[in-house]
Amino acid sequence: MTRRQLLHDGASRSLATDRYLRVLGREMTTLRSRTRAPTALVQLRPPEVRFRFLDALWIQVTGTRCNIACRHCFIACGPKTDQIPMMSAGEVECALDEGRSLGMRQVYFTGGEPFLHPELRRLVRSALQLAPLTIVTNGLLVDDAAVAMVLEESERTRYSFDLRVSLDGTTAAQNDRVRGRGTFERVVEALQRLGRAGLSPVVAVVEHEGIVRAQARDRFLQFVRDLGIARPRVKFLPLFRSGREVRRTHGYHDMGVLASAPLLPEVESQLPCASGRAVTSQGVYTCPMLVEHTSARLGKGLAESMHPIRLNWDTCQTCMLDGMRTSN
């Protein structure tokens, strides 16, 4: 947050994604005219995504352990969920070393809630010796000690050190219905604390009902600015219909919608799985959205995961059609 900043997403869906949707519409119309039964769509093979290079290394340092249980969490994290165990400091550092050997450009610590890790400061220091670091956090544990740690570690490194703080509304009514009662007030206090320290976190907003990117961006920027953050940055994230969110929105429709159109190069190159991998205590996965899918496990180590994958999972619809970008 005190040095070189990474690009954040635009105000709306990318032009490449819009073009893909237009092509998709044409291909779907042609395909339906050639098939007698709608079920023929599910027989199509999902598109393949080539692996370009290791840009983003996602490390799920706390597994699925979190201090809250958001209603829209795409991997169902919570205080009592341990389907993916917390990583040891040694496991994290091994992943960092392997990532460096493969040319990683940036690191993300995620979970669960990374600030629950008992050796987080050691992990932060290890990561910042190698690459820019972002901690993806709900902000509830960003107290004075955490802010001091961010400031001190930022001064020790030549790389940027960011926090990405989740906030799903500019009011308690919007935010707390998905993140839990009282979370809005506590996150606002954390953002004010960061602002007073001269830090500029990325505020991440999930586009759940009532939050539409095109209508809300200016409002969120002004809201964050009013909290005392001089250079506000807001990142809108599409809603993934997986994990705990399935209970509310009943998942996805037929995967044939993705398999029916060509994967445009400009769309493929920006997909998270084209230049990123997620490391957990249980191995390496195609992306952080799929760490609960055993079929998305690519192996024990990063080196064996550097190969093309197919978009075989329902969750891939969100990245393809909503223009998911994982960078800040």
Side-chain angles (χ1 to χ4, degrees):
M1 286 179 283
T2 57
R3 287 172 171 77
R4 174 170 53 88
Q5 303 291 355
L6 300 171
L7 294 176
H8 54 80
D9 67 335
S12 60
R13 184 181 286 145
S14 70
L15 293 176
T17 303
D18 283 341
R19 183 183 166 200
Y20 173 80
L21 292 173
R22 291 195 296 272
V23 172
L24 176 64
R26 293 196 299 271
E27 293 291 328
M28 287 286 286
T29 300
T30 302
L31 183 65
R32 284 173 180 146
S33 69
R34 293 177 180 173
T35 57
R36 295 181 179 180
T39 54
L41 284 177
V42 300
Q43 319 246 335
L44 297 172
R45 198 175 188 191
E48 182 179 81
V49 177
R50 294 166 296 172
F51 189 77
R52 302 170 67 228
F53 52 85
L54 186 60
D55 178 23
L57 177 62
W58 292 80
I59 305 181
Q60 198 176 14
V61 295
T62 50
T64 47
R65 183 61 57 87
C66 190
N67 50 338
I68 55 176
C70 298
R71 292 176 60 195
H72 59 0
C73 183
F74 56 81
I75 52 173
C77 298
K80 297 180 180 180
T81 56
D82 57 0
Q83 64 268 33
I84 301 176
M86 183 179 293
M87 297 178 70
S88 69
E91 288 175 320
V92 174
E93 289 171 344
C94 282
L96 289 168
D97 287 341
E98 189 175 13
R100 176 184 58 177
S101 70
L102 295 170
M104 70 181 182
R105 297 184 178 185
Q106 52 188 317
V107 178
Y108 293 83
F109 283 170
T110 184
E113 171 50 54
F115 277 94
L116 288 174
H117 200 289
E119 296 186 83
L120 181 63
R121 185 159 195 165
R122 168 183 166 180
L123 302 182
V124 165
R125 189 166 296 180
S126 295
L128 286 174
Q129 291 175 354
L130 306 176
L133 171 66
T134 295
I135 298 179
V136 181
T137 174
N138 59 40
L140 301 181
L141 299 178
V142 181
D143 54 15
D144 289 335
V147 172
M149 184 272 287
V150 174
L151 287 171
E152 291 167 12
E153 296 303 323
S154 293
E155 289 303 313
R156 294 175 59 93
T157 180
R158 63 190 179 93
Y159 295 111
S160 63
F161 182 14
D162 267 325
L163 296 186
R164 184 189 292 182
V165 181
S166 298
L167 184 68
D168 289 331
T170 55
T171 66
Q174 287 179 326
N175 179 86
D176 290 4
R177 67 182 176 184
V178 291
R179 291 197 168 269
R181 183 178 300 177
T183 56
F184 177 79
E185 182 179 353
R186 294 168 64 189
V187 174
V188 164
E189 290 173 354
L191 291 173
Q192 291 173 325
R193 196 173 289 123
L194 291 165
R196 287 194 297 271
L199 299 172
S200 178
V202 178
V203 176
V205 184
V206 175
E207 296 179 274
H208 59 85
E209 66 276 12
I211 302 293
V212 180
R213 183 184 319 192
Q215 301 171 359
R217 186 172 185 81
D218 290 343
R219 183 170 73 251
F220 266 91
L221 285 170
Q222 187 58 52
F223 177 79
V224 175
R225 189 177 291 112
D226 290 344
L227 295 179
I229 296 175
R231 294 177 292 114
R233 293 181 291 159
V234 177
K235 178 178 180 64
F236 285 88
L237 298 169
L239 182 70
F240 285 92
R241 300 179 185 274
S242 59
R244 197 173 289 116
E245 175 62 24
V246 171
R247 302 175 190 173
R248 299 199 311 147
T249 48
H250 309 295
Y252 292 88
H253 297 297
D254 182 10
M255 274 294 290
V257 70
L258 292 185
S260 61
L263 182 58
L264 299 177
E266 57 266 44
V267 174
E268 177 189 7
S269 65
Q270 296 186 62
L271 291 174
C273 51
S275 58
R277 289 293 183 260
V279 178
T280 77
S281 58
Q282 298 177 333
V284 180
Y285 291 75
T286 60
C287 76
M289 283 70 74
L290 294 173
V291 293
E292 285 191 308
H293 294 262
T294 56
S295 58
R297 187 179 185 274
L298 300 176
K300 184 177 179 181
L302 277 169
E304 57 191 296
S305 74
M306 309 283 104
H307 59 73
I309 60 98
R310 288 198 176 273
L311 301 179
N312 289 320
W313 303 274
D314 289 348
T315 308
C316 301
Q317 291 188 49
T318 294
C319 290
M320 288 288 294
L321 301 181
D322 290 335
M324 174 63 180
R325 304 293 178 266
T326 54
S327 63
N328 289 338

